[in-house]
Amino acid sequence: MTNRLTNGDRKSQAETPETPDFSRYKVCDSYSVPATDSPTADGAPDTGSHSPQRVSRKQLQGLDSRLGERDRELLGAIQKYRYLMTGQVQRLLFTDAANSSAGLRAASRNLKKLRGLGLVDSLSRRIGGVRAGSGSLIWYLTHAGERLLRLYDERAYPARRHFEPSAYFLAHTLAVAETAIRLIEVCRKHEPEILSLQLEPECWRAYSNAGASCSLKPDLYAATVTEEYEDRYFIEVDLDTESPAKIIEKCQKYHAYYRSGLEQEESEMFPLTVWIVPSVTRKEKLIRQLKGVFDKQPKLFAVITGDDLEHLILEGGDREMLC
């Protein structure tokens, strides 16, 4: 398990995140996702139709020939994260622009191009509303986009249908993506190299507990390395929606998986499980509760806010966060 902790105390920081506080959007109106996939005269799917028709393989090959490397990277990123805001796409893929505004314009242009080809579309609602600007649009792959990415993959995949995501599911999915992007940004600027960054379901772990088959389902798994340290993390993104009992129940699964020894057999260490919470109040409350329940057991958990992530990745965090 990661044990690279410093003893230094940190001063409290103002809770002013640079990106939206996704916990604010856990209760709101539904988000409309048009699930369409019908071709137009030029071979591109028409996302405005309500009577979808299947796009042929030949049409997909024609679309594929019109894509550049950046287009394919963008499609792959949206597929990986399920939903991404324009601003997140910019921070993930368009960092070579002169400044963030130019990068945002470039990201918007590429996304509009892919939408014109029927490969991506945006939800009818935005995080933060219209006043948040184009960076707040939320993008997803259309059925044609999914099929194009698998055009030359002979493996069989189950059909994925677009659905109208609940407000909580969307907010949580975007918050998980935000955590992954922040981790990537930290490692771009500083020494650590990302060895692995797995999202659901790739990061899930199967194990047996008392003869029953179980599954541990973190939101993210990350491994970083420097010249001196290799650190591994299971990451849980909390929007302050779960009761303490639910959090403790999930933590008990981590202890059961730890006792199985499966992770240690494979990698010789057990990842630190990091709960990322939206406020200092929530952080302090969870630390007290987890310390009370797991006081005599191995300290498998750390509770931090998003503002603490860089300190954890670069310096190992503080001992007070362990529980």
Side-chain angles (χ1 to χ4, degrees), residues 64-76:
D64 185 57
S65 67
R66 297 161 67 176
L67 301 182
E69 182 179 352
R70 177 64 62 87
D71 298 322
R72 292 186 178 87
E73 288 178 349
L74 205 163
L75 290 173

Side-chain angles (χ1 to χ4, degrees), residues 21-78:
D21 175 9
F22 294 105
S23 65
R24 291 173 51 205
Y25 304 100
K26 58 181 179 283
V27 178
C28 58
D29 295 335
S30 62
Y31 295 77
S32 175
V33 182
T36 58
D37 187 21
S38 53
T40 60
D42 65 355
D46 177 12
T47 58
S49 171
H50 293 281
S51 55
Q53 301 174 18
R54 188 168 180 83
V55 179
S56 70
R57 183 180 180 88
K58 182 177 180 180
Q59 287 174 315
L60 288 174
Q61 289 172 333
L63 292 174
D64 185 57
S65 67
R66 297 161 67 176
L67 301 182
E69 182 179 352
R70 177 64 62 87
D71 298 322
R72 292 186 178 87
E73 288 178 349
L74 205 163
L75 290 173
I78 297 176

Side-chain angles (χ1 to χ4, degrees), residues 20 25 84-88 101 104-105 108 111-112 115 122-139:
Y25 304 100
L84 283 175
M85 297 167 62
T86 309
Q88 292 176 323
S101 296
L104 188 61
R105 290 193 296 270
S108 296
L111 287 162
K112 288 177 182 177
R115 179 163 60 183
S122 60
L123 302 184
S124 59
R125 295 291 301 273
R126 309 178 186 212
I127 290 291
V130 176
R131 291 184 179 180
S134 61
S136 65
L137 284 171
I138 302 165
W139 299 87

Side-chain angles (χ1 to χ4, degrees), residues 126-167:
R126 309 178 186 212
I127 290 291
V130 176
R131 291 184 179 180
S134 61
S136 65
L137 284 171
I138 302 165
W139 299 87
Y140 66 95
L141 279 187
T142 63
H143 182 58
E146 289 276 1
R147 289 182 58 217
L148 185 139
L149 288 178
R150 296 167 178 170
L151 191 60
Y152 303 108
D153 190 341
E154 299 301 327
R155 291 174 293 179
Y157 291 93
R160 288 182 61 179
R161 298 292 298 173
H162 289 303
F163 63 95
E164 184 173 329
S166 70

Side-chain angles (χ1 to χ4, degrees), residues 243-255:
S243 67
K246 286 289 186 181
I247 299 292
I248 291 169
E249 181 182 346
K250 185 71 176 280
C251 289
Q252 288 170 338
K253 292 182 179 180
Y254 277 101
H255 274 281

Side-chain angles (χ1 to χ4, degrees), residues 207-209 211-215:
Y207 66 101
S208 177
N209 185 26
S213 296
C214 303
S215 182

